[in-house]
Amino acid sequence: MAYHSPCFTHPSFGDLTPDRVIIFDTTLRDGEQSPGFSMNLAEKLRMAEALVSLGVDVIEAGFPVASKGDFEAVSHIARHTRGSVICALARSGSIKDITAAGEALAPAERKRIHTFISTSPLHMKYKLRMEPNTVLELITAGNKAARQLTDDVEWSAEDGSRTEEDFLCRCVEAAIRAGATTINIPDTVGYATPKDMEHIFSMLRDRVPGADHVIFSAHNHNDLGLGVANTLASLHGGARQVECTINGIGERAGNAALEEIVMALRTRHDCYPYTTNIHTQKLLKVSRMLATITSFDVQPNKAIVGRNAFAHESGIHQDGIMKNAATYEIMTPESVGWSRSSLVMGKHSGRAAFREKLNALGYDTIDETRFNDAFTRFKDLADHKKLIYDEDIIALVDDEVRNHDHIRFVSMCVNTVSGHPSHVQLTLSIDQCAVEVTATGNGPIDAAFNALRQAFAHEAQLLLFSVAAITEGTDAQARTTVRLEESGKLVDGQGTDADTVVSAVRAYVHALNKLLIKRTRKKPKTIREREGNI
Ligand code: MN
């Protein structure tokens, strides 16, 4: 597997062994820009810290020139996050972008500027309206400008997988000459096959002068469900960096999922003899953190982190698993963070047991106030529910760690008599002041939502309302999802409680808090809309 020339030393990672794969996470950039997945500053910082503890090599933190919020997020992550290289995106053709990226990254311990420009005939003609030679000039100018600000520069050929081969070679050569140290060839539109991706990387490594002195990188989208397969094939072609996201979030059908790539490399090391620095036992925790922050759960059958990924329902399978787990399990649930033996919690469990349970579930950084709130709610739940499952506790804590600080649910009294309107008396805390209102409605949930509209005036439309039981039995907690829309902005909120009406109010309050964050964002994503993305 001779790959790099022996003299190759990466500006951020030093000497790399030929089997080492750099994990470049773009959850906070490609992931965050997909509809409904926006995060606030505090949430981005929490995710960045989680990515560091997971062992991610490079964190793409955002696109600083796109908005003030993006700039601030990159800048805060650069200042407060230590351990991973922090990367910011910039268009090759815009010195303003590159300057903004450099400024936002200034406080970082190790930083990377990532420039990109389209290279396919379709994108150059219709999107950029540029001649190929102009694109080549901008590649050179952009990478040179970025190299003035940091030694670690990545260049991406947007729509690279649909770029004509000779021209792609010339672009990559220009980027290397101008100082790029990582060359990314994205399958921007999710069109490539594994064979295509393997070929592109081996072709570039064969043909481009200087190819031995850079790291090649894959960035595959999942429009045909091939993101992970294309990424693995790219490694066979000689790529040694993979760009991916937690839970596979990203533009349209998403990006290749980090957890799937990492576990494929580990489980099938016989086929993919490569190593990463990822601590796989933390995969589930980070996946859940992202789902909590964005209110988008992964589907139950999602590989590695889905609720059913290690569940064995059929009797034949269960029997096999009990005799020897390898009969139906290709990797252990523990290796990705699931706990097999669950410590059953109930009304006699104390603070120490509750804390131990939270640690086991991955919530080891929760602050004292939120721990106390979660513990109080746990005791309340234990009073009327005999067995408390991990899912119950996860739902409780997720509710607490969300940033609902502006509006909080305090208490509610519901009166329902069949055949008559329901009455609700609701108390909220709005900016730490108690607000109490009463309202009526067609059933308790309608009455509760009317009360919410009175307590906190807003114009948002309710687009979706759904309730599901977290576990089995009539004493199970309900999880409610509420989707609100206000002037074209969509938000999803989630709430959990043993009382369905309370869970609905918590979900509505969560959605309202998210809407307030969105209201403070002035000009959302104009550059992204105009320029598209890699
Ligand atoms: Mn992308």
Side-chain angles (χ1 to χ4, degrees):
M1 263 206 318
Y3 175 59
H4 302 304
S5 70
C7 62
F8 178 78
T9 301
H10 190 280
S12 291
F13 303 111
D15 294 326
L16 293 163
T17 54
D19 66 337
R20 172 75 153 81
V21 171
I22 293 167
I23 299 292
F24 176 114
D25 180 279
T26 185
T27 304
L28 295 173
R29 201 277 298 166
D30 208 321
E32 204 261 350
Q33 71 195 42
S34 53
F37 281 87
S38 51
M39 300 173 219
N40 67 24
L41 187 62
E43 292 167 340
K44 285 184 181 178
L45 264 172
R46 276 180 60 213
M47 269 313 293
E49 275 156 23
L51 292 169
V52 170
S53 74
L54 183 63
V56 161
D57 298 294
V58 185
I59 296 172
E60 187 162 52
F63 190 4
V65 88
S67 71
K68 201 166 160 260
D70 266 45
F71 184 95
E72 277 169 9
V74 176
S75 174
H76 272 72
I77 291 169
R79 177 165 291 114
H80 299 291
T81 308
R82 289 291 176 264
S84 303
V85 172
I86 309 301
C87 174
L89 190 67
R91 287 168 295 177
S92 295
S94 165
I95 294 299
K96 197 179 155 207
D97 286 34
I98 295 164
T99 309
E103 280 171 14
L105 288 171
E109 182 183 43
R110 289 185 295 166
K111 51 178 174 275
R112 171 179 297 188
I113 295 179
H114 177 190
T115 66
F116 73 98
I117 193 166
S118 291
T119 52
S120 67
L122 198 64
H123 277 221
M124 288 192 292
K125 186 171 174 190
Y126 293 101
K127 196 185 89 169
L128 296 177
R129 295 172 205 271
M130 279 180 195
E131 292 299 316
N133 277 338
T134 313
V135 169
L136 274 170
E137 283 163 19
L138 293 178
I139 292 170
T140 299
N143 283 300
K144 277 190 172 165
R147 269 306 290 264
Q148 299 290 311
L149 304 170
T150 173
D151 288 341
D152 188 339
V153 170
E154 171 168 337
W155 174 71
S156 280
E158 184 178 356
D159 207 18
S161 58
R162 293 194 299 174
T163 297
E164 189 266 324
E165 280 188 11
D166 288 346
F167 184 64
L168 188 61
C169 287
R170 288 175 64 204
C171 291
V172 170
E173 188 180 348
I176 295 173
R177 281 185 197 281
T181 45
T182 298
I183 300 293
N184 183 40
I185 310 296
D187 182 29
T188 304
V189 293
Y191 177 75
T193 66
K195 211 172 156 188
D196 294 338
M197 291 319 298
E198 180 173 356
H199 169 75
I200 288 172
F201 287 105
S202 58
M203 181 275 297
L204 290 171
R205 287 177 54 225
D206 281 347
R207 289 182 55 188
V208 177
D212 279 349
H213 299 275
V214 292
I215 296 281
F216 281 94
S217 166
H219 176 115
N220 293 295
H221 276 274
N222 215 21
D223 299 70
L224 293 173
L226 293 173
V228 172
N230 285 343
T231 302
L232 297 176
S234 303
L235 294 175
H236 277 329
R240 286 296 180 274
Q241 172 178 287
V242 296
E243 302 197 356
C244 45
T245 58
I246 302 296
N247 298 344
I249 71 169
E251 293 269 19
R252 307 180 311 279
N255 289 63
L258 182 149
E259 61 277 9
E260 295 176 18
I261 296 167
V262 168
M263 290 315 289
L265 296 184
R266 187 172 147 153
T267 308
R268 294 307 308 273
H269 197 73
D270 55 327
C271 293
Y272 305 105
Y274 312 115
T275 57
T276 71
N277 273 357
I278 297 298
H279 308 295
T280 61
Q281 305 88 327
K282 296 190 173 168
L283 285 170
L284 182 65
K285 175 185 168 182
V286 181
S287 160
R288 277 193 176 144
M289 181 187 280
L290 180 66
T292 302
I293 286 174
T294 59
S295 301
F296 279 99
D297 277 339
V298 298
Q299 80 266 24
N301 60 318
K302 167 79 176 63
I304 318 295
V305 292
R307 188 165 18 100
N308 290 354
F310 292 92
H312 303 278
E313 182 81 20
S314 100
I316 294 170
H317 287 211
Q318 283 179 349
D319 182 54
I321 285 281
M322 278 187 278
K323 286 174 177 153
N324 181 344
T327 49
Y328 289 99
E329 276 177 8
I330 58 167
M331 53 197 156
T332 65
E334 292 86 354
S335 67
V336 298
W338 293 93
S339 55
R340 202 187 290 264
S341 61
S342 54
L343 175 65
V344 177
M345 304 287 286
K347 65 189 293 182
H348 301 296
S349 307
R351 292 175 67 89
F354 187 63
R355 188 172 297 276
E356 198 185 312
K357 174 56 94 179
L358 291 192
N359 286 345
L361 292 171
Y363 297 100
D364 41 8
T365 56
I366 181 167
D367 66 47
E368 205 54 31
T369 318
R370 293 199 160 105
F371 174 83
N372 288 335
D373 289 352
F375 185 67
T376 307
R377 286 185 62 191
F378 160 72
K379 290 304 259 188
D380 286 349
L381 182 66
D383 276 343
H384 49 82
K385 189 172 189 295
K386 217 175 186 177
L387 290 178
I388 302 201
Y389 298 96
D390 286 0
E391 291 91 331
D392 289 317
I393 294 173
I394 289 163
L396 276 184
V397 181
D398 281 356
D399 255 9
E400 289 307 323
V401 298
R402 277 183 198 131
N403 288 308
H404 333 158
D405 295 328
H406 192 64
I407 310 171
R408 288 183 75 96
F409 168 76
V410 177
S411 65
M412 186 167 59
C413 172
V414 182
N415 190 349
T416 292
V417 178
S418 58
H420 295 275
S422 296
H423 292 263
V424 160
Q425 185 181 344
L426 174 70
T427 307
L428 297 177
S429 155
I430 300 178
D431 287 333
Q432 332 248 319
C433 294
V435 177
E436 196 182 300
V437 288
T438 52
T440 55
N442 188 15
I445 289 176
D446 188 45
F449 286 4
N450 286 339
L452 266 170
R453 280 185 209 103
Q454 272 186 46
F456 184 82
H458 59 279
E459 297 294 313
Q461 297 288 313
L462 178 67
L463 293 190
L464 179 145
F465 171 76
S466 79
V467 186
I470 293 179
T471 53
E472 286 140 35
T474 50
D475 62 351
Q477 290 196 93
R479 170 180 288 168
T480 304
T481 303
V482 159
R483 177 171 293 171
L484 298 179
E485 193 251 313
E486 187 187 73
S487 9
K489 291 171 186 158
L490 281 182
V491 288
D492 284 345
Q494 284 188 333
T496 315
D497 201 278
D499 182 322
T500 308
V501 186
V502 175
S503 90
V505 171
R506 285 185 185 280
Y508 201 116
V509 166
H510 181 220
L512 272 182
N513 279 304
K514 286 175 87 177
L515 210 51
L516 293 178
I517 295 164
K518 286 218 165 192
R519 277 186 189 166
T520 60
R521 290 191 171 184
K522 277 181 196 157
K523 279 181 124 189
K525 299 169 187 171
T526 47
I527 285 174
R528 287 169 184 165
E529 281 161 11
R530 195 169 67 241
E531 299 295 335
N533 239 306
I534 58 162

